[in-house]
Amino acid sequence: MNGKRSGSGLIKALHGSQILLASAGRYAVATLLTTLSAISTLLQTPIVRTGLAPYPSALASSAQKQPTTKDIPPVTLTNIPDIDTSTLTNYLSQVGPLYQAFQRSKSEPGGGPSLFRKDKEAEKRDEFVELLEKGLRKNSQPPAVAGRQNSFAPASPSDSPQSRRRSSPNPKRNPLAVAPLSTIPNVYFEENFHLENPRTFDIVSERSEVIRQPEKPTANGSAQVGRKALATNAILQEKLSWYMDTVEVHLIGAISTASTSFFAALGSLRELQQEAADSVGKIQELRGDLQRLDKEMALGGLNVVAMRQKRENLRKLGQATKQLQQTVDDVQVAEDLIHEGQLDMALAQIKGTEKLMAGGIDPDDDAPRQPSGPSSLLDLRGMKALDTVKRALDSLRYRAGKGFEDRFLDALLTDLRSHVESVPHSETLQRWAAASQRSRGDGIKPPSMPRYMAPNEELRTNLKLALDGLAKSRQTSAATTALRDAIMREMKALIRKHLPSSSDDDNESVTSTSTRGGRHMTQSDKSTILARNLRALDQDDAEELFVNVYTAVSEGLRRLGVQVKILLDVTSDIGSPPPTAPLKSPIASPSMSSMEEQLKSPGTPVSRRRLLQEELNQALDMSSLLGQAVDVAQAQITKVLKVRTEQSTRLPLERFLRYFTINRLFADECEAVSGRSGASLKGAINQQIDSFIQIFSDAERQRIATSLDSDRWDAVDFGAEDEVILSRILQGMTGDPPAWIKGRMVWEGAGASQANGSVPEPPETNGNGKEKVRSATIDEQKYLLVVSVKTLLRGLQNFQIFIACVPGMTTDISTAMLDYLKLFNSRTTQLILGAGATRSAGLKNITTKHLALASQALSFLITLIPYIREFVRRHSPSPGNLLPEFDKLKRSLQDHQSGIHDKLIEIMSGRASFHIKAMQKIDFDEVGKLNQDEASSYMDTLTKDTNTLHRVLKRHLPELAVQMIMNPVFESYREQWSDAFRDTRVTTPAGKERLLRDAELFETKLNKIDGFGDIGTKIIDIVKRKPVGSSEPSKPDSPAEEK
């Protein structure tokens, strides 16, 4: 199988060499058809030559259309199992002798058995003669008939080999042309040609069987035609041999074609070799001549040059020794100058020394150039002996830089401290408030230029000198780093300066101090003492502490930002040439090339200034520096705030609002300076305000609950102070009253007002005195109020002041205010309708006056709710959730008021029922005989109670509310007393007369009250129509009469 693969590779190689055969000439073209005709019989399938039906696969291999994968049946490849050689022992013992005999016969000169060899050679000779004769005949025919298609046509039975040999007219045969490679099937030229592939093997073997299967008879008795056996298919074997011969012939032709150019190239190569040998000889001769010249002339000249160089080196050595001595002396001079404080001269001496060491070249130049003229100085920087000198110069430069750094820091910190101490606290607070109002769009004009932006020429001059020295000493970066650290320490110092003492020396006597034995306090002890002293501060001291700390830090940060800008501005002037007087005569302008070289040189003043600016910009990044300073300050302040959390959350309202405003303005100032939100500081403040809202709302709820429990529900005077509070609440619907936002004006001192920011609450007398009682007025409607309502009014003002000063917490404060109002409503229900006031305030019972005043209080609160609701809507960023709660509260108050009115109606209806029962117990016939002039006591009491109710309601309630109560009462009277008089029995004229006097008294006493109508007249008519002497009650009136 490997032989077959190598044959296939040979065929593929020849297929590529057929391009060389294209130049074979006219002879190959003329003989192509003859060759195809000569081998046509060999290219036919064996089945066609025998006259049998052709196989589809065989016809497909000879035709132009190649079979596809669909035409080839699938073959399952199986692994060949490994068989032990011991199982083949018997077979090898039998075949072995025969195989050895076969090998011996092959080694003989004949190459194989004579019988088979002779038969095979005769058969091949006959077939070759037949093909040759057929090719000659086809060659004599016209070209149209002798085509490739006819050469492959099947031979007729008359074209047998015997007849063709006999019909050969010319025993002398023409030489055969070379068969083209196209006669070989394409399968042999495929790149993936492998005979072990069943499909490839099937095409190459022309579907021959490897093992011949026995023939099976068909149904009609004839034998079934099968495929040929591979072992007996001689034509197939001849085809393979012929394919190999064709390939070999083509190889020989290709080699012969290329032999001419090969020998021509070989001749040219020999000529080149000869020329190369001649050139080598000439080169050797030239080398000999050069060696003679070198010995005779060059060595002498070199000796002269060496002597001159040696003399020059000795001169340079002497000069270098003097230069080295001068360098050492200059180092000592520079050190003396630094000790004397002459830093500028010391830096100049250091720079001159380095230039001397560098041989007159500027050591700061990154791209040094040799001097244009002759120089006697040498560059000694590479000498190891000068390493100590270099370290000494670096140390001196560092010491000079530290001196300039101290001057630099002192100039900045001195200016910073003087500015902080010179600005009043009120001015800083006003600047904060103005900035806060401008950010809210209040249209406040910005104030004049603040003090922190004031120029300072002395500072600019000092900074310029210091920065120039730092740049020369190469300490700019270190100085800016030191400045950053110094600023952080200064911020802490500004805060620590105003804090109370962290030791007990102020509170302890000398004796107690000595008894401690002088024990050194740890940092933890100091922190504990400082926290205790901070908590012990009163309201005024604590506020002063925060104002001092906040204003100092704010002014320090603002001035620091200006200083950074001054630094960056000063760097633009460093290295600039000083202005000179104008020249009287013009000078020659420098060339553009020289100017460009000067600007590009790193050692020029322009480049040094640019490098200094870049270094300062990187080191003094304003946002980073100010941000770090703000973080340090806020971290320290947050600790102080957390220590005083308990004291801050229990401040009075006015004090807390000032405290919150100061902290909020300071947080806004820090954010404006650094651009950072300050989450830690704002978090501490928000936590404190949340706690304060809870404590404040609990205190207000406790205050109103106490006032309600102690209220005796008597009308009190609504004085001028109360009118002011009410007017402010009403004004809050459209704008915040100035008195409410007084807590924002932290630059003003805290007044002597009460904690809630309102006027002092005068003691109430609960209406026991004889002084005139004034009423509250809203929209021309007057209200008589009790003490608890006035307390409620002050509590509402406190809530609204809180919202006006802290609008960001409107939602939380409004929720607390709603709970405050709900508590008043529910507690009033318990005290009046639930008669709780009889226990808490010591009332004997709940009278109509109490009910009327409670209804009046609810009416006052219902009228006030829309004003409060609008105030909350103005301040709340998202009032959608709060406004419906106020509407629900208003409906709850109205329901409560309706319940009080129903209670009054129920009371009067009960009294009427009681008097009717008393009336039913009277025998009017007997009573009429005894007293003819007087009316019954039940009717007198009823009319008095009704008049009292009307009088109380009219005094405490508006006319509309009185009508809403009295109309249902009189309707109840109409029904109850009509039935009562109708059902009363009288048998004598005296009894009827007595009953008529009661009806007339009912009419006389109550007919003046609005809403009474014709009730009395109707009852009188009922009595007049009542018959005398009848025991039956009078008939009721008709519906028309009832109306």
Short mmCIF file of all heavy atoms in Angstrom, two decimals, residues 321-331 349 353 356:
data_model
loop_
_atom_site.label_atom_id
_atom_site.label_comp_id
_atom_site.label_asym_id
_atom_site.label_seq_id
_atom_site.Cartn_x
_atom_site.Cartn_y
_atom_site.Cartn_z
N THR A 321 44.09 70.15 39.09
CA THR A 321 44.44 70.21 40.51
C THR A 321 44.08 71.57 41.10
O THR A 321 43.52 71.67 42.20
CB THR A 321 45.93 69.92 40.68
OG1 THR A 321 46.26 68.66 40.08
CG2 THR A 321 46.31 69.89 42.15
N LYS A 322 44.39 72.62 40.37
CA LYS A 322 44.01 73.96 40.84
C LYS A 322 42.49 74.11 40.91
O LYS A 322 41.94 74.70 41.84
CB LYS A 322 44.60 75.01 39.91
CG LYS A 322 46.13 75.06 39.90
CD LYS A 322 46.61 76.13 38.93
CE LYS A 322 48.15 76.21 38.90
NZ LYS A 322 48.64 77.23 37.94
N GLN A 323 41.79 73.57 39.88
CA GLN A 323 40.33 73.65 39.85
C GLN A 323 39.72 72.89 41.03
O GLN A 323 38.74 73.34 41.65
CB GLN A 323 39.82 73.06 38.53
CG GLN A 323 38.32 73.19 38.32
CD GLN A 323 37.89 72.63 36.98
OE1 GLN A 323 38.74 72.36 36.12
NE2 GLN A 323 36.61 72.47 36.80
N LEU A 324 40.33 71.76 41.38
CA LEU A 324 39.84 70.98 42.50
C LEU A 324 40.02 71.72 43.81
O LEU A 324 39.13 71.73 44.68
CB LEU A 324 40.57 69.63 42.53
CG LEU A 324 40.16 68.66 43.64
CD1 LEU A 324 38.69 68.31 43.53
CD2 LEU A 324 41.01 67.39 43.58
N GLN A 325 41.17 72.38 43.98
CA GLN A 325 41.42 73.15 45.20
C GLN A 325 40.44 74.30 45.34
O GLN A 325 39.91 74.57 46.43
CB GLN A 325 42.86 73.67 45.18
CG GLN A 325 43.25 74.48 46.43
CD GLN A 325 43.17 73.65 47.70
OE1 GLN A 325 43.51 72.46 47.68
NE2 GLN A 325 42.72 74.25 48.80
N GLN A 326 40.14 74.97 44.22
CA GLN A 326 39.18 76.07 44.24
C GLN A 326 37.79 75.58 44.60
O GLN A 326 37.04 76.25 45.32
CB GLN A 326 39.17 76.76 42.87
CG GLN A 326 38.26 77.99 42.80
CD GLN A 326 38.74 79.10 43.71
OE1 GLN A 326 39.95 79.28 43.91
NE2 GLN A 326 37.80 79.84 44.29
N THR A 327 37.46 74.40 44.14
CA THR A 327 36.13 73.83 44.45
C THR A 327 35.99 73.58 45.94
O THR A 327 34.95 73.91 46.55
CB THR A 327 35.94 72.52 43.67
OG1 THR A 327 36.04 72.79 42.27
CG2 THR A 327 34.59 71.90 43.98
N VAL A 328 36.99 73.01 46.54
CA VAL A 328 36.94 72.75 47.99
C VAL A 328 36.83 74.05 48.76
O VAL A 328 36.07 74.15 49.75
CB VAL A 328 38.18 71.94 48.41
CG1 VAL A 328 38.20 71.75 49.92
CG2 VAL A 328 38.21 70.59 47.72
N ASP A 329 37.56 75.07 48.37
CA ASP A 329 37.48 76.36 49.06
C ASP A 329 36.09 76.98 48.92
O ASP A 329 35.57 77.56 49.88
CB ASP A 329 38.54 77.31 48.49
CG ASP A 329 39.96 76.83 48.76
OD1 ASP A 329 40.13 75.99 49.68
OD2 ASP A 329 40.90 77.26 48.04
N ASP A 330 35.48 76.87 47.73
CA ASP A 330 34.15 77.44 47.52
C ASP A 330 33.10 76.75 48.38
O ASP A 330 32.14 77.39 48.84
CB ASP A 330 33.76 77.34 46.04
CG ASP A 330 34.59 78.29 45.17
OD1 ASP A 330 35.27 79.16 45.75
OD2 ASP A 330 34.57 78.13 43.94
N VAL A 331 33.25 75.46 48.61
CA VAL A 331 32.30 74.75 49.47
C VAL A 331 32.34 75.31 50.87
O VAL A 331 31.30 75.51 51.53
CB VAL A 331 32.62 73.23 49.45
CG1 VAL A 331 31.79 72.51 50.51
CG2 VAL A 331 32.35 72.65 48.08
N GLN A 349 26.74 80.91 45.54
CA GLN A 349 28.05 80.29 45.69
C GLN A 349 27.99 78.80 45.35
O GLN A 349 28.89 78.26 44.70
CB GLN A 349 28.53 80.48 47.13
CG GLN A 349 29.94 79.98 47.39
CD GLN A 349 31.00 80.80 46.66
OE1 GLN A 349 30.77 81.98 46.37
NE2 GLN A 349 32.12 80.19 46.33
N THR A 353 30.04 76.98 42.39
CA THR A 353 30.91 75.84 42.66
C THR A 353 30.56 74.67 41.74
O THR A 353 31.46 74.00 41.20
CB THR A 353 30.77 75.41 44.12
OG1 THR A 353 31.06 76.54 44.97
CG2 THR A 353 31.73 74.29 44.46
N LEU A 356 31.85 75.40 38.40
CA LEU A 356 33.30 75.21 38.36
C LEU A 356 33.64 73.72 38.23
O LEU A 356 34.54 73.34 37.47
CB LEU A 356 33.93 75.80 39.62
CG LEU A 356 35.45 75.64 39.77
CD1 LEU A 356 36.18 76.37 38.64
CD2 LEU A 356 35.91 76.15 41.13
#
